[in-house]
Amino acid sequence: MRRGPWLYLAPALILLITFTYVPVANMLWYSFHKWDGLDVHMTPAGFGNYVRVLTDEQYWRVFLVSLYYLAASFAQIAIALYFAVVLSYNVRFKNLFKGILFFPYLLNGVAVGFVFLYLFQPGGTLDTMLRALGLGEHTRYWLGDPDIANLSLAGTSVWRFTGLNFVLFLGAIQSIPGEIYEAAEIDGANRWHQFRHIIVPGIRRIISLSFILAISGSLAVFEIPFIMTGGANGTRTFVVQAYQTAFQFRQIGLASAMAVVLLLIVLLVTWVQRRILPDDEVSLS
Amino acid sequence: MSGLARTAKYLSLVLASLVVLIPLVVVLFAALKTHAEYNSTGPLTPPRNWLNLDNFVTAWTAGNMLRGFWNTTIILVVSLTGTVLIGTLAAYAVSRFTFGFKRLVLGLFLVAALVPGVTTQVATYQIVKSMGLVNTQWSAIVLFLGTDIVSIYIFMQFMQSIPRSLDQAAMIDGAGRFTVYRRIILPLMKPAIATVVIIKGIAIYNEFYIPFLYMRSPGLSVISTALFRFKGPYGAQWEAIAACTMIVLLPTVVIFLLLQRFIYNGITAGATK
């Protein structure tokens, strides 16, 4: 008896289509309508929703907020790369440091949000430490001041995600064969030369992947601002705005147009990445 | 290496460790203080009594944490079992059968991996609602099963490293396709299954958006949403919120200390594939 492959594939395919492709198709359809998500009638809106997303300040401003997170993720990549290089050589307490640096990545996002709410409170941990260091005049409303709130949140994001980049870099560095370093050392290369000519080329793939993930990740920030400020004081990100538009103000059409714009940007970024970095290792069967 | 460079290296490592640990340690301090003590001491002052667990008791009972852990566990067990079964079956079909539309199927999985789940949530919500799953645990379970392309990827990659000659030998001995899957492939997939269970388990334990959006009723709280809700009524009592936060973080600390090596490997395998 021959049972075809479809029986084995069916559960995965049905779920894939139901929860990825049908939503994407519906979203496109909703995005050209004015709809509250309940009414049986959807009013066609043409490109109205898109025009609003791209012209109304309330909607395009959220892209500017993404820039804070984008800048933060570059800092995150630099910090992670530094520590990955340092810890790939012989260091005392290597595993302890490795564990400490990576650990935040595993923590629950809501818990991290609360930990940093506590840290940034007026008179909280950060203010107390600044005072102890004699920098008392630099205390401010870390989350209440629109000039600084996004920096505080982006800093939280760096704290939370550096560990992921760090572990990925560390893994890549350790997969470079040891003989290459030995040969380089015989040739008189110092640590900087080794970093510049062995490590960076050796992990180029993972570094550029990190930049791509940084861009799409910065556009999709949700948890940290939603939990810590609820989007107040100018900290609303694209996804927080889309969430509020859809589920609080019930403008499903408009929220869908936002989501389509976001999806297009992410696909574009990915496409550019594949062009720059043809990915022959991921070819399936 | 010169002494100066060595000092700078260790200094940077210690500094980074402090940056990671201080925010967490001060929350632990707060969690162990009494209300009066919290109000009269600074955040960096250690608690007077290290065994004052009153706040933990308050958080555990008032925050309904037991229910949160229970709901999280159910969702974890069902979703992980489902992911492993569905993913390995699909990977088996793709790597061991030749059939028409195979390229199309692979393409569908490939493209779906590019669509971030958070972008489609507006439309996905309407689908889950039309299935009548909103405000049931099934909403989270079907979404964790349905939007997980990474696991299928990991299974497909791993299955290619299992020699086909093993299947063929078994088939010559008269085993059917399903027997091959269950008796030969599944046991050999253990390392990949461990990877998926670890990275997906961590992701589900930490997930906030899906339970927050789909499981509004308090009885359905998972660990993230239970903590989020706890802040409402206890907003003025930071020592209680701190204790609740610690309760959520504690299992992660324990799991990490026990499974460190596997977690590093799992994350590396999961993120780069």
Side-chain angles (χ1 to χ4, degrees):
Chain A
M1 194 212 70
R2 288 180 53 87
R3 263 186 297 193
W6 296 106
L7 211 61
Y8 297 91
L9 266 179
L13 263 185
I14 291 170
L15 287 166
L16 176 76
I17 291 169
T18 316
F19 296 108
T20 299
Y21 288 98
V22 176
V24 170
N26 284 353
M27 198 167 79
L28 273 170
W29 175 248
Y30 298 157
S31 74
F32 291 104
H33 294 81
K34 194 170 155 40
W35 187 41
D36 65 358
L38 301 167
D39 206 326
V40 273
H41 295 290
M42 296 188 204
T43 322
F47 281 93
N49 290 326
Y50 288 94
V51 171
R52 191 153 165 213
V53 169
L54 299 173
T55 56
D56 187 335
E57 192 195 332
Q58 192 192 347
Y59 295 97
W60 58 254
R61 240 196 67 86
V62 295
F63 286 109
L64 301 182
V65 175
S66 297
L67 295 179
Y68 285 95
Y69 293 92
L70 188 64
S73 43
F74 290 166
Q76 180 182 312
I77 288 171
I79 296 169
L81 191 57
Y82 169 76
F83 285 111
V85 171
V86 165
L87 287 174
S88 65
Y89 292 110
N90 269 334
V91 175
R92 235 176 271 225
F93 308 116
K94 191 174 178 166
N95 285 332
L96 177 69
F97 285 127
K98 199 173 139 184
I100 291 174
L101 288 175
F102 172 64
F103 180 63
Y105 175 68
L106 300 177
L107 299 181
N108 186 290
V110 182
V112 171
F114 286 3
V115 165
F116 277 83
L117 269 178
Y118 185 65
L119 183 102
F120 287 127
Q121 274 191 101
T125 314
L126 187 55
D127 289 353
T128 312
M129 285 172 61
L130 285 174
R131 284 198 195 99
L133 295 169
L135 298 166
E137 74 272 25
H138 292 290
T139 62
R140 56 191 77 206
Y141 290 115
W142 299 105
L143 298 171
D145 180 348
D147 291 334
I148 207 91
N150 279 314
L151 284 177
S152 308
L153 296 180
T156 307
S157 168
V158 173
W159 186 90
R160 188 173 174 206
F161 293 113
T162 299
L164 175 63
N165 289 109
F166 164 72
V167 162
L168 296 180
F169 292 154
L170 196 66
I173 291 174
Q174 280 166 354
S175 68
I176 301 172
E179 304 92 70
I180 299 183
Y181 297 105
E182 286 163 28
E185 255 166 53
I186 292 167
D187 289 345
N190 64 25
R191 286 285 154 88
W192 170 250
H193 291 141
Q194 290 181 18
F195 173 72
R196 179 78 188 70
H197 298 289
I198 301 174
I199 294 179
V200 171
I203 63 169
R204 180 179 290 151
R205 263 178 60 87
I206 192 80
I207 294 178
S208 43
L209 183 70
S210 302
F211 277 102
I212 301 307
L213 291 177
I215 298 172
S216 51
S218 311
L219 290 161
V221 173
F222 174 74
E223 275 184 25
I224 285 174
F226 186 79
I227 290 161
M228 290 177 64
T229 61
N233 306 321
T235 61
R236 210 175 272 128
T237 62
F238 201 96
V239 181
V240 173
Q241 177 74 63
Y243 167 82
Q244 291 176 340
T245 307
F247 299 109
Q248 287 176 358
F249 301 108
R250 308 218 60 89
Q251 295 176 300
I252 305 292
L254 190 57
S256 297
M258 295 186 71
V260 172
V261 171
L262 179 58
L263 186 57
L264 288 177
I265 298 175
V266 171
L267 290 178
L268 181 72
V269 170
T270 317
W271 179 76
V272 170
Q273 183 240 334
R274 303 253 151 162
R275 290 304 296 261
I276 299 173
L277 203 83
D279 197 20
D280 30 51
E281 279 174 42
V282 187
S283 62
L284 294 167
S285 81
Chain B
M1 200 193 294
S2 72
L4 192 67
R6 188 187 298 273
T7 313
K9 183 175 78 178
Y10 281 102
L11 208 62
S12 68
L13 284 167
V14 170
L15 190 70
S17 304
L18 289 177
V19 170
V20 168
L21 294 178
I22 287 175
L24 298 170
V25 170
V26 293
V27 174
L28 179 65
F29 284 0
L32 294 168
K33 289 178 184 176
T34 63
H35 190 60
E37 189 187 358
Y38 176 82
N39 285 332
S40 59
T41 56
L44 298 176
T45 319
R48 221 171 292 140
N49 174 8
W50 285 90
L51 295 172
N52 170 29
L53 298 178
D54 292 353
N55 296 318
F56 286 89
V57 175
T58 309
W60 182 261
T61 47
N64 231 335
M65 297 310 277
L66 185 62
R67 178 157 290 277
F69 274 106
W70 175 242
N71 288 338
T72 304
T73 308
I74 293 174
I75 293 173
L76 260 174
V77 170
V78 179
S79 306
L80 290 178
T81 314
T83 301
V84 169
L85 288 178
I86 292 168
T88 49
L89 282 169
Y92 180 59
V94 168
S95 74
R96 294 302 201 258
F97 286 85
T98 40
F99 54 97
F101 304 113
K102 185 164 166 175
R103 292 189 68 86
L104 175 72
V105 170
L106 284 172
L108 285 176
F109 282 113
L110 199 78
V111 173
L114 307 177
V115 178
V118 78
T119 60
T120 51
Q121 228 43 256
V122 173
T124 306
Y125 187 86
Q126 304 296 331
I127 290 178
V128 175
K129 195 170 88 176
S130 71
M131 294 168 122
L133 297 181
V134 170
N135 253 326
T136 70
Q137 291 184 327
W138 288 105
S139 57
I141 292 169
V142 295
L143 287 170
F144 288 140
L145 291 178
T147 51
D148 184 34
I149 316 296
V150 177
S151 304
I152 294 184
Y153 247 72
I154 293 174
F155 289 137
M156 283 182 187
Q157 293 268 346
F158 189 85
M159 205 170 286
Q160 312 213 335
S161 67
I162 301 176
R164 276 160 191 262
S165 50
L166 284 177
D167 313 23
Q168 281 152 2
M171 296 223 261
I172 290 167
D173 289 346
R177 290 279 199 177
F178 189 74
T179 314
V180 170
Y181 162 79
R182 209 172 59 84
R183 291 284 173 77
I184 296 177
I185 301 289
L186 215 48
L188 287 172
M189 291 285 278
K190 269 184 200 143
I193 292 174
T195 299
V196 166
V197 166
I198 285 172
I199 59 171
K200 196 163 168 109
I202 293 167
I204 294 177
Y205 182 82
N206 292 337
E207 175 67 35
F208 170 70
Y209 196 43
I210 287 175
F212 176 73
L213 193 56
Y214 292 93
M215 305 189 304
R216 295 269 180 186
S217 79
L220 292 169
S221 285
V222 296
I223 215 69
S224 303
T225 46
L227 176 60
F228 189 72
R229 283 204 187 93
F230 186 71
K231 181 162 176 265
Y234 284 84
Q237 293 183 41
W238 261 101
E239 67 285 357
I241 297 173
C244 201
T245 307
M246 282 294 137
I247 292 174
V248 171
L249 295 182
L250 199 65
T252 316
V253 178
V254 174
I255 296 281
F256 177 62
L257 291 179
L258 291 177
L259 300 176
Q260 260 193 70
R261 202 160 51 82
F262 301 101
I263 294 177
Y264 291 133
N265 296 342
I267 297 281
T268 316
T272 50
K273 296 233 160 103

